[in-house]
Amino acid sequence: MMSRTGSSDPSDRFEYLQTLVTEFQDTDSEEAKEQVLANLANFAYDPSNMEHLRELQVADLFLDMLTEENDNFVEFGMGGLCNLSMDPECRHVILESGGIGLVTNCLSSRREETVLSAVTTLMNLLTPSSRSEITDPAILQCMLRFSLSQSPRLRGLAAVFLQDCCTEAQVARAQRQMQGEQTAVGIPLPGNGDLTDEVR
């Protein structure tokens, strides 16, 4: 397998990736599907594979995984999308396929890796046309809660999102909205000293 995946011949690489996609579609084994998804997600990290992955419509495959009940499917699909979303053409496919809503739903995952990939993907999907959807008050409130997380990785990534993707006015508005709702939903007010990881 290593010699095939490491091949510099584009036709060999495409053939191998096509074999993976076919295996995913043909197998009934969840374990085999998980392995294929993990491999495809890793290949999506390499820019030299992007053209092949676009041709094989792997972005659509990853998007389909986000609504699966199997948490591994969701995690690997989200990780793959996170990698693909760095490519402008793949980003367009994800946006045109309603990807923002599917990715946003993954912010409530119980798995930190899935949530981290979802936050990063939203940042990668930010364009002038998608900005209003990605900076929706509900998403900003979610990021504000993540910024209080006990997880340093999640806390830091949420802070980057709030700084890079939003205006100060948007963040302030989301904070005011949260404070108005916190009595009802039981989320600790920012800065009251005993924050727990209730967002997860």
Side-chain angles (χ1 to χ4, degrees), residues 49-172:
N49 293 323
M50 287 299 175
E51 184 179 348
H52 302 320
L53 294 170
R54 287 195 298 266
E55 188 173 344
L56 293 167
Q57 299 181 315
V58 171
D60 291 328
L61 188 155
F62 287 150
L63 283 166
D64 288 343
M65 293 305 101
L66 302 189
T67 53
E68 290 286 335
E69 292 184 7
N70 182 319
D71 286 340
N72 288 332
F73 285 5
V74 177
E75 179 178 335
F76 297 145
M78 192 64 260
L81 272 182
C82 183
N83 290 336
L84 287 182
S85 64
M86 293 184 286
D87 174 75
E89 289 186 49
C90 289
R91 184 182 308 137
H92 178 74
V93 170
I94 295 167
L95 290 170
E96 288 296 303
S97 301
I100 293 176
L102 293 168
V103 172
T104 300
N105 288 340
C106 291
L107 294 174
S108 60
S109 171
R110 294 166 294 181
R111 292 196 176 184
E112 181 170 306
E113 288 302 325
T114 300
V115 175
L116 291 167
S117 293
V119 175
T120 304
T121 301
L122 288 174
M123 289 194 285
N124 290 341
L125 293 177
L126 192 68
T127 68
S129 59
S130 68
R131 180 175 295 276
S132 62
E133 189 175 356
I134 289 177
T135 58
D136 180 270
I139 293 179
L140 298 196
Q141 289 176 36
C142 188
M143 296 301 165
L144 285 166
R145 290 194 293 271
F146 288 161
S147 72
L148 306 174
S149 169
Q150 290 179 350
S151 161
R153 294 171 69 198
L154 184 57
R155 190 168 64 239
L157 192 58
V160 172
F161 181 100
L162 292 167
Q163 179 176 324
D164 291 356
C165 302
C166 323
T167 65
E168 289 183 10
Q170 285 176 315
V171 174

Side-chain angles (χ1 to χ4, degrees), residues 1-12:
M1 178 184 285
M2 286 306 294
S3 60
R4 299 286 302 281
T5 59
S7 172
S8 59
D9 186 328
S11 61
D12 285 352

